[in-house]
Amino acid sequence: MRLIKARDLGYEPAGTIFSNVSDFSAERVNRLKDKCYDDIEISGFNLMCGGDERGFFHACIHMPSYVSLDKGVPIRLSSKDWLEPSDTSTADYEEKDLVIVWDRDEIQHMIDIFQLALDKLKSQ
């Protein structure tokens, strides 16, 4: 994995999985630079849909970060909730914002963990 400026996401290949770094953690990393040895807080997993030659990306698919309730009962997410690209873009990030970019092996590991969960659910 790599820690990069969010505004540089558009230079990454389409299909890049990234997680936003919390504002508190980003501020600390930006202030301390390579003297920062703390854990950082991340949120969500996002799929960057592709940038252009100037490094501007124009959409991404977010893993849902909320679930709607109807009278206290969670509403099942639809295919649209999982696959609909949002208009998140480079313009939504400030210079200080950071993201974690996951590498291919880490993404495969995530898939393996989800597959393990599915296998266990199927056996019940």
Side-chain angles (χ1 to χ4, degrees):
M1 82 183 77
R2 293 178 291 123
L3 180 65
I4 66 169
K5 290 186 176 285
R7 290 214 166 171
D8 291 337
L9 273 170
Y11 294 109
E12 299 295 317
T16 294
I17 302 290
F18 68 96
S19 298
N20 293 316
V21 173
S22 75
D23 289 340
F24 173 79
S25 293
E27 185 275 327
R28 188 158 172 77
V29 170
N30 284 322
R31 185 167 38 88
L32 297 175
K33 306 277 187 234
D34 60 355
K35 291 182 175 77
C36 186
Y37 293 99
D38 293 341
D39 293 339
I40 60 173
E41 296 175 19
I42 59 172
S43 62
F45 293 98
N46 310 292
L47 172 73
M48 201 266 298
C49 296
D52 63 20
E53 65 280 349
R54 295 168 295 149
F56 186 84
F57 80 94
H58 44 80
C60 69
I61 297 173
H62 300 285
M63 293 289 283
S65 58
Y66 64 90
V67 173
S68 296
L69 297 177
D70 180 11
K71 298 177 184 166
V73 177
I75 298 172
R76 184 177 178 88
L77 298 172
S78 70
S79 294
K80 181 179 178 185
D81 294 318
W82 290 101
L83 296 173
E84 184 78 16
S86 70
D87 65 354
T88 300
S89 75
T90 307
D92 294 324
Y93 292 100
E94 297 178 20
E95 187 61 33
K96 66 178 177 52
D97 295 332
L98 300 172
V99 295
I100 290 290
V101 174
W102 302 96
D103 68 32
R104 185 181 181 95
D105 291 339
E106 290 163 326
I107 294 167
Q108 184 60 59
H109 187 70
M110 291 176 207
I111 292 168
D112 293 345
I113 295 296
F114 282 121
Q115 187 61 55
L116 178 65
L118 280 174
D119 293 345
K120 288 192 178 291
L121 287 171
K122 286 179 187 175
S123 67
Q124 292 182 8

